[in-house]
Amino acid sequence: MPARGWGRPSLLRFLKRRRGTEAKTEAPERQSRRNWDKDTESPERQSRRRQHATVHGTMAQSREWRWHSSLVPPAPLAPPEYEQLGTFDEDAAMEKLQTKREEFENHEVMQQEAQRKLFAKRHIIQATSGQDLFFRAENTIEEDWLGRVDEMPGNIYRIMAFGAAANETVTYAFSEKALRNLATQLGFFAILLLQWIGPPSIFLSTVFSWGIMSDQRITWEKWHPSLSDWHHIGLTRFLSTMFMFCLCLNCLFVILDEKSSWKKIDDIFRYLQVRTPQFELRGEFWLWLGACTNCWVVLWCCVDSLVVIGRSDSPKECCSDALGLLFLYNLDDIGGDLGFVDRDNWPGLKLGWIYEEMVQENFAEEESQKADFDPENNTEFAHNLLLGVYSFTAALVAGMAVCLPLFSAITPWREIDPGR
């Protein structure tokens, strides 16, 4: 039992006074270690200590740690995306800023390009003639827009359909320009006659002696399967068989390509008839005539290869005859061997752009006008009939690519051809 005068409050004061004396006489190395821990403590730990001191009311300790935290420099501010790195990456920030600037500039360029395309579309549908349509397309459609555009193949019939056969304005009736336009139109008419009359005449002359002497006709009634020619001119027979096969395959490719391009040209033609208020295209007959002419020429050229290439006597004659048939069904093409028209008269790439950007998207000045034309559905009888003619011709050519070379290989040409 404690002595008198040493109650509980007095004992507590004594212990506190003694504890303060021990703290003053603490070892120097322990005191320096405690001060070093305070100076090097992290800001997060200091923050937790300040909160703890504030909650428990030890204001002296709170003031002491606030004084220590004021000596620590503040951490640099960093964007949210760099908080996980711990430091601010200036190079990455500049690179991101440059990327955003380029995206903004590209967006501005794309907007300006879209405005120029819109102007070109509106300018094209204001054409007053087929020749003016070609002129507007050449001057408003930029070359940078044609990188991924498929060119529209052209021929004399498609030029006639757009009314652009006379590619120069005539001022005087007997001027040089007038004579040039007249020569172009007469050349078109001559090509039309040659393609309709020439190919069938080659084969029918060997059957009915049309255009040749009767003693030069091939005696088809004496035909029988034989390989006798392979014993004498085997190399020529091999070359003629391969040339016939390649020619028929090329004809098949040509007819399929013509079918696809003709459908696109016809869609462009129908679109312009609806969307151009200043004039009306009336040359659709030339499109139909061109389609029938292409099928006619390709079919007869395949048949002619039997009597032209198959009956060749030498490799030289075989090669020259094959090239002659290729020339025959390429007479009407733009940039062909005949110089009536060249590629400058047919803007194939520009028409391809019109098809992709205007016809397929059904471009119109007002939304209410889009119902007048449907690019995906064409119910015209003539359009679907000619597509069927193309398909039927392609099927016949595919069959001839197999049958004609085999038939020529087993034909004794030296026996049935009196002219050899």
Side-chain angles (χ1 to χ4, degrees):
M1 182 175 181
R4 184 179 180 87
W6 287 89
R8 178 177 293 274
S10 301
L11 180 61
L12 291 176
R13 283 194 298 269
F14 171 76
L15 293 175
K16 288 180 180 179
R17 192 179 302 112
R18 183 178 178 181
R19 187 179 303 168
T21 304
E22 292 178 353
K24 293 179 180 179
T25 59
E26 191 175 15
E29 56 273 8
R30 184 176 180 184
Q31 184 70 27
S32 62
R33 188 184 303 112
R34 180 177 297 179
N35 294 336
W36 182 82
D37 290 337
K38 291 180 180 180
D39 293 338
T40 59
E41 197 164 13
S42 63
E44 291 81 1
R45 188 177 179 87
Q46 294 177 14
S47 176
R48 291 195 298 270
R49 284 184 176 277
R50 285 198 301 269
Q51 294 177 1
H52 179 78
T54 303
V55 170
H56 291 276
T58 55
M59 299 305 298
Q61 186 178 4
S62 176
R63 285 195 299 270
E64 178 182 0
W65 284 107
R66 277 203 303 270
W67 178 78
H68 279 286
S69 62
S70 63
L71 300 179
V72 180
L77 298 177
E81 58 267 23
Y82 300 113
E83 287 183 354
Q84 296 180 355
L85 299 178
T87 57
F88 179 69
D89 193 344
E90 183 177 359
D91 294 338
M94 293 299 297
E95 183 178 356
K96 184 176 181 180
L97 179 62
Q98 182 67 20
T99 303
K100 290 183 178 181
R101 183 179 302 170
E102 292 177 356
E103 291 177 356
F104 176 77
E105 293 176 354
N106 292 335
H107 180 68
E108 290 291 328
V109 171
M110 292 177 62
Q111 283 187 338
Q112 295 176 3
E113 184 176 347
Q115 292 177 358
R116 294 197 305 272
K117 286 184 178 181
L118 180 61
F119 170 78
K121 295 176 183 178
R122 291 176 176 174
H123 190 64
I124 287 172
I125 63 176
Q126 296 299 324
T128 57
S129 64
Q131 187 175 352
D132 184 42
L133 174 71
F134 286 179
F135 178 79
R136 290 170 181 259
E138 286 286 346
N139 288 275
T140 56
I141 299 177
E142 301 179 8
E143 296 293 335
D144 296 339
W145 303 344
L146 307 177
R148 299 181 179 178
V149 174
D150 295 331
E151 183 177 6
M152 290 290 177
N155 54 41
I156 61 174
Y157 308 105
R158 294 172 184 178
I159 290 182
M160 293 291 291
F162 283 94
N167 51 20
E168 295 180 290
T169 304
V170 177
T171 306
Y172 302 101
F174 297 99
S175 63
E176 182 180 352
K177 294 180 180 180
L179 293 176
R180 185 178 302 172
N181 292 338
L182 179 61
T184 300
Q185 295 177 6
L186 292 177
F188 286 0
F189 182 72
I191 291 174
L192 175 62
L193 290 180
L194 288 175
Q195 289 191 323
W196 276 94
I197 299 176
S201 299
I202 295 175
F203 179 78
L204 296 178
S205 64
T206 65
V207 179
F208 302 106
S209 301
W210 292 351
I212 62 174
M213 301 300 293
S214 58
D215 57 349
Q216 295 179 354
R217 185 183 70 88
I218 298 177
T219 55
W220 292 104
E221 59 273 9
K222 296 181 180 180
W223 182 90
H224 63 279
S226 175
L227 299 177
S228 59
D229 286 358
W230 287 86
H231 300 290
H232 302 283
I233 50 174
L235 178 60
T236 303
R237 292 274 65 80
F238 174 76
L239 289 177
S240 64
T241 303
M242 294 306 299
F243 267 114
M244 290 176 59
F245 180 69
C246 291
L247 180 69
C248 292
L249 285 183
N250 185 68
C251 288
L252 178 60
F253 174 80
V254 167
I255 205 66
L256 293 177
D257 186 62
E258 287 288 337
K259 177 184 177 181
S260 176
S261 61
W262 183 86
K263 181 181 181 302
K264 294 178 181 180
I265 291 293
D266 190 63
D267 289 341
I268 294 175
F269 201 89
R270 293 189 304 110
Y271 173 83
L272 293 175
Q273 283 181 323
V274 175
R275 293 287 182 264
T276 50
Q278 303 296 333
F279 79 107
E280 181 180 358
L281 290 170
R282 300 182 179 273
E284 195 168 8
F285 165 77
W286 291 101
L287 288 180
W288 300 340
L289 180 61
C292 295
T293 303
N294 287 328
C295 295
W296 175 267
V297 173
V298 166
L299 274 178
W300 279 110
C301 283
C302 290
V303 176
D304 292 342
S305 66
L306 177 64
V307 297
V308 173
I309 304 176
R311 60 192 292 195
S312 301
D313 288 332
S314 64
K316 178 182 177 181
E317 185 179 353
C318 183
C319 295
S320 60
D321 291 341
L323 294 177
L325 290 177
L326 288 176
F327 167 78
L328 190 58
Y329 68 76
N330 288 328
L331 274 178
D332 61 336
D333 291 343
I334 300 297
D337 294 326
L338 296 181
F340 295 113
V341 289
D342 52 18
R343 297 190 179 276
D344 295 335
N345 302 114
W346 178 256
L349 283 174
K350 306 297 176 68
L351 289 176
W353 185 88
I354 291 175
Y355 176 78
E356 294 183 5
E357 296 289 336
M358 299 178 66
V359 177
Q360 286 189 328
E361 295 183 2
N362 195 9
F363 172 77
E365 290 284 349
E366 299 179 0
E367 291 293 331
S368 59
Q369 297 177 351
K370 291 189 174 182
D372 300 337
F373 175 78
D374 186 4
E376 301 296 335
N377 186 19
N378 191 344
T379 58
E380 292 184 3
F381 174 76
H383 176 87
N384 296 321
L385 176 63
L386 286 174
L387 289 180
V389 170
Y390 270 118
S391 300
F392 179 72
T393 304
L396 288 180
V397 172
M400 286 188 287
V402 178
C403 297
L404 290 181
L406 294 177
F407 182 81
S408 177
I410 62 175
T411 299
W413 294 103
R414 296 171 61 86
E415 299 179 14
I416 67 174
D417 187 4
R420 297 177 57 131

